[in-house]
mmCIF file with all atom_site columns, all heavy atoms in Angstrom:
data_model
loop_
_atom_site.group_PDB
_atom_site.id
_atom_site.type_symbol
_atom_site.label_atom_id
_atom_site.label_alt_id
_atom_site.label_comp_id
_atom_site.label_asym_id
_atom_site.label_entity_id
_atom_site.label_seq_id
_atom_site.pdbx_PDB_ins_code
_atom_site.Cartn_x
_atom_site.Cartn_y
_atom_site.Cartn_z
_atom_site.occupancy
_atom_site.B_iso_or_equiv
_atom_site.pdbx_formal_charge
_atom_site.auth_seq_id
_atom_site.auth_comp_id
_atom_site.auth_asym_id
_atom_site.auth_atom_id
_atom_site.pdbx_PDB_model_num
ATOM 1   N N   . LEU A 1 2  ? 30.593 6.118  -2.179  1.00 0.00 ? 2  LEU A N   1
ATOM 2   C CA  . LEU A 1 2  ? 30.391 5.672  -0.811  1.00 0.00 ? 2  LEU A CA  1
ATOM 3   C C   . LEU A 1 2  ? 30.164 4.174  -0.845  1.00 0.00 ? 2  LEU A C   1
ATOM 4   O O   . LEU A 1 2  ? 29.063 3.715  -1.169  1.00 0.00 ? 2  LEU A O   1
ATOM 5   C CB  . LEU A 1 2  ? 29.196 6.394  -0.189  1.00 0.00 ? 2  LEU A CB  1
ATOM 6   C CG  . LEU A 1 2  ? 29.309 7.919  -0.109  1.00 0.00 ? 2  LEU A CG  1
ATOM 7   C CD1 . LEU A 1 2  ? 27.986 8.546  0.283   1.00 0.00 ? 2  LEU A CD1 1
ATOM 8   C CD2 . LEU A 1 2  ? 30.404 8.302  0.846   1.00 0.00 ? 2  LEU A CD2 1
ATOM 9   N N   . ASP A 1 4  ? 29.623 1.861  1.284   1.00 0.00 ? 4  ASP A N   1
ATOM 10  C CA  . ASP A 1 4  ? 28.649 1.229  2.148   1.00 0.00 ? 4  ASP A CA  1
ATOM 11  C C   . ASP A 1 4  ? 27.204 1.495  1.723   1.00 0.00 ? 4  ASP A C   1
ATOM 12  O O   . ASP A 1 4  ? 26.297 0.831  2.189   1.00 0.00 ? 4  ASP A O   1
ATOM 13  C CB  . ASP A 1 4  ? 28.841 1.667  3.601   1.00 0.00 ? 4  ASP A CB  1
ATOM 14  C CG  . ASP A 1 4  ? 30.142 1.133  4.200   1.00 0.00 ? 4  ASP A CG  1
ATOM 15  O OD1 . ASP A 1 4  ? 30.609 0.087  3.723   1.00 0.00 ? 4  ASP A OD1 1
ATOM 16  O OD2 . ASP A 1 4  ? 30.670 1.760  5.106   1.00 0.00 ? 4  ASP A OD2 1
ATOM 17  N N   . VAL A 1 5  ? 26.994 2.483  0.833   1.00 0.00 ? 5  VAL A N   1
ATOM 18  C CA  . VAL A 1 5  ? 25.646 2.743  0.329   1.00 0.00 ? 5  VAL A CA  1
ATOM 19  C C   . VAL A 1 5  ? 25.289 1.681  -0.696  1.00 0.00 ? 5  VAL A C   1
ATOM 20  O O   . VAL A 1 5  ? 25.974 1.532  -1.702  1.00 0.00 ? 5  VAL A O   1
ATOM 21  C CB  . VAL A 1 5  ? 25.517 4.158  -0.270  1.00 0.00 ? 5  VAL A CB  1
ATOM 22  C CG1 . VAL A 1 5  ? 24.151 4.350  -0.916  1.00 0.00 ? 5  VAL A CG1 1
ATOM 23  C CG2 . VAL A 1 5  ? 25.770 5.219  0.798   1.00 0.00 ? 5  VAL A CG2 1
ATOM 24  N N   . ILE A 1 6  ? 24.235 0.951  -0.433  1.00 0.00 ? 6  ILE A N   1
ATOM 25  C CA  . ILE A 1 6  ? 23.784 -0.098 -1.343  1.00 0.00 ? 6  ILE A CA  1
ATOM 26  C C   . ILE A 1 6  ? 22.872 0.510  -2.400  1.00 0.00 ? 6  ILE A C   1
ATOM 27  O O   . ILE A 1 6  ? 23.048 0.297  -3.592  1.00 0.00 ? 6  ILE A O   1
ATOM 28  C CB  . ILE A 1 6  ? 23.046 -1.218 -0.576  1.00 0.00 ? 6  ILE A CB  1
ATOM 29  C CG1 . ILE A 1 6  ? 23.998 -1.834 0.442   1.00 0.00 ? 6  ILE A CG1 1
ATOM 30  C CG2 . ILE A 1 6  ? 22.474 -2.240 -1.534  1.00 0.00 ? 6  ILE A CG2 1
ATOM 31  C CD1 . ILE A 1 6  ? 23.320 -2.734 1.460   1.00 0.00 ? 6  ILE A CD1 1
ATOM 32  N N   . ASP A 1 12 ? 8.705  11.159 -5.421  1.00 0.00 ? 12 ASP A N   1
ATOM 33  C CA  . ASP A 1 12 ? 8.049  12.458 -5.354  1.00 0.00 ? 12 ASP A CA  1
ATOM 34  C C   . ASP A 1 12 ? 7.168  12.542 -4.111  1.00 0.00 ? 12 ASP A C   1
ATOM 35  O O   . ASP A 1 12 ? 7.114  11.607 -3.301  1.00 0.00 ? 12 ASP A O   1
ATOM 36  C CB  . ASP A 1 12 ? 7.279  12.756 -6.635  1.00 0.00 ? 12 ASP A CB  1
ATOM 37  C CG  . ASP A 1 12 ? 6.038  11.910 -6.831  1.00 0.00 ? 12 ASP A CG  1
ATOM 38  O OD1 . ASP A 1 12 ? 5.603  11.189 -5.899  1.00 0.00 ? 12 ASP A OD1 1
ATOM 39  O OD2 . ASP A 1 12 ? 5.492  11.941 -7.959  1.00 0.00 ? 12 ASP A OD2 1
ATOM 40  N N   . HIS A 1 14 ? 4.160  12.233 -3.662  1.00 0.00 ? 14 HIS A N   1
ATOM 41  C CA  . HIS A 1 14 ? 3.077  11.246 -3.622  1.00 0.00 ? 14 HIS A CA  1
ATOM 42  C C   . HIS A 1 14 ? 3.585  9.816  -3.463  1.00 0.00 ? 14 HIS A C   1
ATOM 43  O O   . HIS A 1 14 ? 2.807  8.877  -3.441  1.00 0.00 ? 14 HIS A O   1
ATOM 44  C CB  . HIS A 1 14 ? 2.221  11.345 -4.887  1.00 0.00 ? 14 HIS A CB  1
ATOM 45  C CG  . HIS A 1 14 ? 1.689  12.714 -5.124  1.00 0.00 ? 14 HIS A CG  1
ATOM 46  N ND1 . HIS A 1 14 ? 0.736  13.317 -4.331  1.00 0.00 ? 14 HIS A ND1 1
ATOM 47  C CD2 . HIS A 1 14 ? 2.019  13.632 -6.061  1.00 0.00 ? 14 HIS A CD2 1
ATOM 48  C CE1 . HIS A 1 14 ? 0.506  14.529 -4.759  1.00 0.00 ? 14 HIS A CE1 1
ATOM 49  N NE2 . HIS A 1 14 ? 1.264  14.738 -5.826  1.00 0.00 ? 14 HIS A NE2 1
ATOM 50  N N   . GLY A 1 15 ? 4.914  9.638  -3.384  1.00 0.00 ? 15 GLY A N   1
ATOM 51  C CA  . GLY A 1 15 ? 5.498  8.328  -3.220  1.00 0.00 ? 15 GLY A CA  1
ATOM 52  C C   . GLY A 1 15 ? 5.813  7.613  -4.499  1.00 0.00 ? 15 GLY A C   1
ATOM 53  O O   . GLY A 1 15 ? 6.189  6.437  -4.501  1.00 0.00 ? 15 GLY A O   1
ATOM 54  N N   . ALA A 1 16 ? 5.694  8.307  -5.655  1.00 0.00 ? 16 ALA A N   1
ATOM 55  C CA  . ALA A 1 16 ? 6.012  7.691  -6.948  1.00 0.00 ? 16 ALA A CA  1
ATOM 56  C C   . ALA A 1 16 ? 7.531  7.752  -7.150  1.00 0.00 ? 16 ALA A C   1
ATOM 57  O O   . ALA A 1 16 ? 8.154  8.789  -6.932  1.00 0.00 ? 16 ALA A O   1
ATOM 58  C CB  . ALA A 1 16 ? 5.302  8.415  -8.077  1.00 0.00 ? 16 ALA A CB  1
ATOM 59  N N   . SER A 1 20 ? 16.972 6.468  -9.119  1.00 0.00 ? 20 SER A N   1
ATOM 60  C CA  . SER A 1 20 ? 17.697 5.612  -8.168  1.00 0.00 ? 20 SER A CA  1
ATOM 61  C C   . SER A 1 20 ? 19.176 5.523  -8.512  1.00 0.00 ? 20 SER A C   1
ATOM 62  O O   . SER A 1 20 ? 19.579 5.658  -9.658  1.00 0.00 ? 20 SER A O   1
ATOM 63  C CB  . SER A 1 20 ? 17.153 4.177  -8.203  1.00 0.00 ? 20 SER A CB  1
ATOM 64  O OG  . SER A 1 20 ? 15.857 4.094  -7.701  1.00 0.00 ? 20 SER A OG  1
ATOM 65  N N   . ARG A 1 22 ? 21.757 2.429  -7.762  1.00 0.00 ? 22 ARG A N   1
ATOM 66  C CA  . ARG A 1 22 ? 21.708 1.054  -7.240  1.00 0.00 ? 22 ARG A CA  1
ATOM 67  C C   . ARG A 1 22 ? 23.000 0.341  -7.563  1.00 0.00 ? 22 ARG A C   1
ATOM 68  O O   . ARG A 1 22 ? 23.541 0.476  -8.653  1.00 0.00 ? 22 ARG A O   1
ATOM 69  C CB  . ARG A 1 22 ? 20.555 0.280  -7.861  1.00 0.00 ? 22 ARG A CB  1
ATOM 70  C CG  . ARG A 1 22 ? 19.203 0.807  -7.483  1.00 0.00 ? 22 ARG A CG  1
ATOM 71  C CD  . ARG A 1 22 ? 18.129 -0.103 -8.049  1.00 0.00 ? 22 ARG A CD  1
ATOM 72  N NE  . ARG A 1 22 ? 18.159 -0.115 -9.510  1.00 0.00 ? 22 ARG A NE  1
ATOM 73  C CZ  . ARG A 1 22 ? 17.254 0.444  -10.271 1.00 0.00 ? 22 ARG A CZ  1
ATOM 74  N NH1 . ARG A 1 22 ? 16.223 1.051  -9.751  1.00 0.00 ? 22 ARG A NH1 1
ATOM 75  N NH2 . ARG A 1 22 ? 17.366 0.393  -11.578 1.00 0.00 ? 22 ARG A NH2 1
ATOM 76  N N   . GLY A 1 25 ? 20.793 -4.748 -9.781  1.00 0.00 ? 25 GLY A N   1
ATOM 77  C CA  . GLY A 1 25 ? 19.786 -4.467 -10.794 1.00 0.00 ? 25 GLY A CA  1
ATOM 78  C C   . GLY A 1 25 ? 18.366 -4.586 -10.311 1.00 0.00 ? 25 GLY A C   1
ATOM 79  O O   . GLY A 1 25 ? 17.454 -4.585 -11.129 1.00 0.00 ? 25 GLY A O   1
ATOM 80  N N   . ASP A 1 26 ? 18.167 -4.677 -9.015  1.00 0.00 ? 26 ASP A N   1
ATOM 81  C CA  . ASP A 1 26 ? 16.820 -4.830 -8.489  1.00 0.00 ? 26 ASP A CA  1
ATOM 82  C C   . ASP A 1 26 ? 15.967 -3.595 -8.786  1.00 0.00 ? 26 ASP A C   1
ATOM 83  O O   . ASP A 1 26 ? 16.476 -2.490 -8.935  1.00 0.00 ? 26 ASP A O   1
ATOM 84  C CB  . ASP A 1 26 ? 16.840 -5.063 -6.975  1.00 0.00 ? 26 ASP A CB  1
ATOM 85  C CG  . ASP A 1 26 ? 17.445 -6.409 -6.599  1.00 0.00 ? 26 ASP A CG  1
ATOM 86  O OD1 . ASP A 1 26 ? 17.592 -7.257 -7.490  1.00 0.00 ? 26 ASP A OD1 1
ATOM 87  O OD2 . ASP A 1 26 ? 17.788 -6.566 -5.426  1.00 0.00 ? 26 ASP A OD2 1
ATOM 88  N N   . PRO A 1 28 ? 13.372 -0.611 -7.802  1.00 0.00 ? 28 PRO A N   1
ATOM 89  C CA  . PRO A 1 28 ? 13.279 0.195  -6.589  1.00 0.00 ? 28 PRO A CA  1
ATOM 90  C C   . PRO A 1 28 ? 12.100 -0.281 -5.743  1.00 0.00 ? 28 PRO A C   1
ATOM 91  O O   . PRO A 1 28 ? 11.068 -0.701 -6.274  1.00 0.00 ? 28 PRO A O   1
ATOM 92  C CB  . PRO A 1 28 ? 13.047 1.620  -7.099  1.00 0.00 ? 28 PRO A CB  1
ATOM 93  C CG  . PRO A 1 28 ? 12.554 1.476  -8.494  1.00 0.00 ? 28 PRO A CG  1
ATOM 94  C CD  . PRO A 1 28 ? 13.116 0.188  -9.006  1.00 0.00 ? 28 PRO A CD  1
ATOM 95  N N   . VAL A 1 30 ? 8.779  -0.185 -3.419  1.00 0.00 ? 30 VAL A N   1
ATOM 96  C CA  . VAL A 1 30 ? 7.592  0.646  -3.364  1.00 0.00 ? 30 VAL A CA  1
ATOM 97  C C   . VAL A 1 30 ? 7.505  1.209  -1.954  1.00 0.00 ? 30 VAL A C   1
ATOM 98  O O   . VAL A 1 30 ? 7.689  0.461  -0.979  1.00 0.00 ? 30 VAL A O   1
ATOM 99  C CB  . VAL A 1 30 ? 6.333  -0.175 -3.701  1.00 0.00 ? 30 VAL A CB  1
ATOM 100 C CG1 . VAL A 1 30 ? 5.084  0.635  -3.488  1.00 0.00 ? 30 VAL A CG1 1
ATOM 101 C CG2 . VAL A 1 30 ? 6.419  -0.699 -5.113  1.00 0.00 ? 30 VAL A CG2 1
ATOM 102 N N   . LEU A 1 31 ? 7.253  2.510  -1.828  1.00 0.00 ? 31 LEU A N   1
ATOM 103 C CA  . LEU A 1 31 ? 7.079  3.090  -0.508  1.00 0.00 ? 31 LEU A CA  1
ATOM 104 C C   . LEU A 1 31 ? 5.698  2.686  0.017   1.00 0.00 ? 31 LEU A C   1
ATOM 105 O O   . LEU A 1 31 ? 4.691  3.156  -0.498  1.00 0.00 ? 31 LEU A O   1
ATOM 106 C CB  . LEU A 1 31 ? 7.186  4.609  -0.541  1.00 0.00 ? 31 LEU A CB  1
ATOM 107 C CG  . LEU A 1 31 ? 8.563  5.205  -0.706  1.00 0.00 ? 31 LEU A CG  1
ATOM 108 C CD1 . LEU A 1 31 ? 8.505  6.721  -0.642  1.00 0.00 ? 31 LEU A CD1 1
ATOM 109 C CD2 . LEU A 1 31 ? 9.521  4.698  0.353   1.00 0.00 ? 31 LEU A CD2 1
ATOM 110 N N   . PHE A 1 40 ? 17.262 -1.298 11.340  1.00 0.00 ? 40 PHE A N   1
ATOM 111 C CA  . PHE A 1 40 ? 18.221 -2.305 10.913  1.00 0.00 ? 40 PHE A CA  1
ATOM 112 C C   . PHE A 1 40 ? 17.469 -3.574 10.534  1.00 0.00 ? 40 PHE A C   1
ATOM 113 O O   . PHE A 1 40 ? 16.594 -4.016 11.264  1.00 0.00 ? 40 PHE A O   1
ATOM 114 C CB  . PHE A 1 40 ? 19.215 -2.636 12.015  1.00 0.00 ? 40 PHE A CB  1
ATOM 115 C CG  . PHE A 1 40 ? 20.174 -1.514 12.311  1.00 0.00 ? 40 PHE A CG  1
ATOM 116 C CD1 . PHE A 1 40 ? 19.925 -0.653 13.355  1.00 0.00 ? 40 PHE A CD1 1
ATOM 117 C CD2 . PHE A 1 40 ? 21.305 -1.346 11.540  1.00 0.00 ? 40 PHE A CD2 1
ATOM 118 C CE1 . PHE A 1 40 ? 20.808 0.379  13.635  1.00 0.00 ? 40 PHE A CE1 1
ATOM 119 C CE2 . PHE A 1 40 ? 22.193 -0.325 11.804  1.00 0.00 ? 40 PHE A CE2 1
ATOM 120 C CZ  . PHE A 1 40 ? 21.946 0.550  12.851  1.00 0.00 ? 40 PHE A CZ  1
ATOM 121 N N   . ALA A 1 42 ? 18.860 -7.264 9.329   1.00 0.00 ? 42 ALA A N   1
ATOM 122 C CA  . ALA A 1 42 ? 20.073 -8.056 9.107   1.00 0.00 ? 42 ALA A CA  1
ATOM 123 C C   . ALA A 1 42 ? 21.277 -7.126 9.164   1.00 0.00 ? 42 ALA A C   1
ATOM 124 O O   . ALA A 1 42 ? 21.444 -6.423 10.149  1.00 0.00 ? 42 ALA A O   1
ATOM 125 C CB  . ALA A 1 42 ? 19.996 -8.825 7.812   1.00 0.00 ? 42 ALA A CB  1
ATOM 126 N N   . ASP A 1 43 ? 22.103 -7.077 8.126   1.00 0.00 ? 43 ASP A N   1
ATOM 127 C CA  . ASP A 1 43 ? 23.294 -6.207 8.108   1.00 0.00 ? 43 ASP A CA  1
ATOM 128 C C   . ASP A 1 43 ? 23.077 -4.943 7.300   1.00 0.00 ? 43 ASP A C   1
ATOM 129 O O   . ASP A 1 43 ? 24.027 -4.376 6.756   1.00 0.00 ? 43 ASP A O   1
ATOM 130 C CB  . ASP A 1 43 ? 24.477 -6.992 7.517   1.00 0.00 ? 43 ASP A CB  1
ATOM 131 C CG  . ASP A 1 43 ? 24.958 -8.100 8.424   1.00 0.00 ? 43 ASP A CG  1
ATOM 132 O OD1 . ASP A 1 43 ? 24.751 -8.004 9.640   1.00 0.00 ? 43 ASP A OD1 1
ATOM 133 O OD2 . ASP A 1 43 ? 25.537 -9.083 7.904   1.00 0.00 ? 43 ASP A OD2 1
ATOM 134 N N   . GLU A 1 49 ? 13.512 9.293  4.695   1.00 0.00 ? 49 GLU A N   1
ATOM 135 C CA  . GLU A 1 49 ? 13.380 10.651 5.245   1.00 0.00 ? 49 GLU A CA  1
ATOM 136 C C   . GLU A 1 49 ? 12.707 11.560 4.212   1.00 0.00 ? 49 GLU A C   1
ATOM 137 O O   . GLU A 1 49 ? 12.892 11.382 3.008   1.00 0.00 ? 49 GLU A O   1
ATOM 138 C CB  . GLU A 1 49 ? 14.755 11.240 5.583   1.00 0.00 ? 49 GLU A CB  1
ATOM 139 C CG  . GLU A 1 49 ? 15.387 10.667 6.807   1.00 0.00 ? 49 GLU A CG  1
ATOM 140 C CD  . GLU A 1 49 ? 14.690 11.074 8.100   1.00 0.00 ? 49 GLU A CD  1
ATOM 141 O OE1 . GLU A 1 49 ? 14.141 12.198 8.165   1.00 0.00 ? 49 GLU A OE1 1
ATOM 142 O OE2 . GLU A 1 49 ? 14.699 10.270 9.030   1.00 0.00 ? 49 GLU A OE2 1
ATOM 143 N N   . THR A 1 52 ? 12.730 18.152 2.030   1.00 0.00 ? 52 THR A N   1
ATOM 144 C CA  . THR A 1 52 ? 12.071 19.456 2.117   1.00 0.00 ? 52 THR A CA  1
ATOM 145 C C   . THR A 1 52 ? 13.075 20.554 1.828   1.00 0.00 ? 52 THR A C   1
ATOM 146 O O   . THR A 1 52 ? 14.282 20.385 2.030   1.00 0.00 ? 52 THR A O   1
ATOM 147 C CB  . THR A 1 52 ? 11.463 19.683 3.507   1.00 0.00 ? 52 THR A CB  1
ATOM 148 O OG1 . THR A 1 52 ? 12.493 19.595 4.478   1.00 0.00 ? 52 THR A OG1 1
ATOM 149 C CG2 . THR A 1 52 ? 10.384 18.663 3.837   1.00 0.00 ? 52 THR A CG2 1
ATOM 150 N N   . PHE A 1 53 ? 12.578 21.686 1.358   1.00 0.00 ? 53 PHE A N   1
ATOM 151 C CA  . PHE A 1 53 ? 13.402 22.856 1.097   1.00 0.00 ? 53 PHE A CA  1
ATOM 152 C C   . PHE A 1 53 ? 12.545 24.092 1.354   1.00 0.00 ? 53 PHE A C   1
ATOM 153 O O   . PHE A 1 53 ? 11.468 24.211 0.753   1.00 0.00 ? 53 PHE A O   1
ATOM 154 C CB  . PHE A 1 53 ? 13.938 22.839 -0.333  1.00 0.00 ? 53 PHE A CB  1
ATOM 155 C CG  . PHE A 1 53 ? 14.816 24.024 -0.655  1.00 0.00 ? 53 PHE A CG  1
ATOM 156 C CD1 . PHE A 1 53 ? 16.078 24.128 -0.093  1.00 0.00 ? 53 PHE A CD1 1
ATOM 157 C CD2 . PHE A 1 53 ? 14.377 24.987 -1.518  1.00 0.00 ? 53 PHE A CD2 1
ATOM 158 C CE1 . PHE A 1 53 ? 16.889 25.218 -0.382  1.00 0.00 ? 53 PHE A CE1 1
ATOM 159 C CE2 . PHE A 1 53 ? 15.185 26.057 -1.847  1.00 0.00 ? 53 PHE A CE2 1
ATOM 160 C CZ  . PHE A 1 53 ? 16.424 26.182 -1.276  1.00 0.00 ? 53 PHE A CZ  1
ATOM 161 N N   . HIS A 1 57 ? 7.536  20.445 1.068   1.00 0.00 ? 57 HIS A N   1
ATOM 162 C CA  . HIS A 1 57 ? 7.819  19.015 0.938   1.00 0.00 ? 57 HIS A CA  1
ATOM 163 C C   . HIS A 1 57 ? 7.879  18.648 -0.537  1.00 0.00 ? 57 HIS A C   1
ATOM 164 O O   . HIS A 1 57 ? 6.938  18.853 -1.275  1.00 0.00 ? 57 HIS A O   1
ATOM 165 C CB  . HIS A 1 57 ? 6.720  18.213 1.631   1.00 0.00 ? 57 HIS A CB  1
ATOM 166 C CG  . HIS A 1 57 ? 6.882  16.730 1.493   1.00 0.00 ? 57 HIS A CG  1
ATOM 167 N ND1 . HIS A 1 57 ? 7.847  16.016 2.150   1.00 0.00 ? 57 HIS A ND1 1
ATOM 168 C CD2 . HIS A 1 57 ? 6.198  15.832 0.750   1.00 0.00 ? 57 HIS A CD2 1
ATOM 169 C CE1 . HIS A 1 57 ? 7.767  14.743 1.825   1.00 0.00 ? 57 HIS A CE1 1
ATOM 170 N NE2 . HIS A 1 57 ? 6.763  14.605 0.981   1.00 0.00 ? 57 HIS A NE2 1
ATOM 171 N N   . TYR A 1 58 ? 9.040  18.062 -0.961  1.00 0.00 ? 58 TYR A N   1
ATOM 172 C CA  . TYR A 1 58 ? 9.228  17.683 -2.363  1.00 0.00 ? 58 TYR A CA  1
ATOM 173 C C   . TYR A 1 58 ? 9.139  16.180 -2.593  1.00 0.00 ? 58 TYR A C   1
ATOM 174 O O   . TYR A 1 58 ? 8.912  15.748 -3.708  1.00 0.00 ? 58 TYR A O   1
ATOM 175 C CB  . TYR A 1 58 ? 10.571 18.205 -2.877  1.00 0.00 ? 58 TYR A CB  1
ATOM 176 C CG  . TYR A 1 58 ? 10.571 19.677 -3.113  1.00 0.00 ? 58 TYR A CG  1
ATOM 177 C CD1 . TYR A 1 58 ? 10.954 20.547 -2.113  1.00 0.00 ? 58 TYR A CD1 1
ATOM 178 C CD2 . TYR A 1 58 ? 10.163 20.193 -4.322  1.00 0.00 ? 58 TYR A CD2 1
ATOM 179 C CE1 . TYR A 1 58 ? 10.934 21.927 -2.305  1.00 0.00 ? 58 TYR A CE1 1
ATOM 180 C CE2 . TYR A 1 58 ? 10.136 21.572 -4.547  1.00 0.00 ? 58 TYR A CE2 1
ATOM 181 C CZ  . TYR A 1 58 ? 10.524 22.421 -3.526  1.00 0.00 ? 58 TYR A CZ  1
ATOM 182 O OH  . TYR A 1 58 ? 10.497 23.779 -3.733  1.00 0.00 ? 58 TYR A OH  1
ATOM 183 N N   . LEU A 1 63 ? 17.390 5.305  1.634   1.00 0.00 ? 63 LEU A N   1
ATOM 184 C CA  . LEU A 1 63 ? 18.744 4.796  1.570   1.00 0.00 ? 63 LEU A CA  1
ATOM 185 C C   . LEU A 1 63 ? 18.851 3.438  2.203   1.00 0.00 ? 63 LEU A C   1
ATOM 186 O O   . LEU A 1 63 ? 18.217 3.174  3.252   1.00 0.00 ? 63 LEU A O   1
ATOM 187 C CB  . LEU A 1 63 ? 19.719 5.733  2.308   1.00 0.00 ? 63 LEU A CB  1
ATOM 188 C CG  . LEU A 1 63 ? 19.850 7.144  1.809   1.00 0.00 ? 63 LEU A CG  1
ATOM 189 C CD1 . LEU A 1 63 ? 20.732 7.943  2.775   1.00 0.00 ? 63 LEU A CD1 1
ATOM 190 C CD2 . LEU A 1 63 ? 20.429 7.172  0.421   1.00 0.00 ? 63 LEU A CD2 1
#
Side-chain angles (χ1 to χ4, degrees):
L2 300 170
D4 292 334
V5 174
I6 299 167
D12 70 12
H14 305 291
S20 292
R22 295 185 296 251
D26 292 345
V30 174
L31 285 183
F40 290 97
D43 291 334
E49 286 290 328
T52 58
F53 180 70
H57 177 72
Y58 286 91
L63 299 174

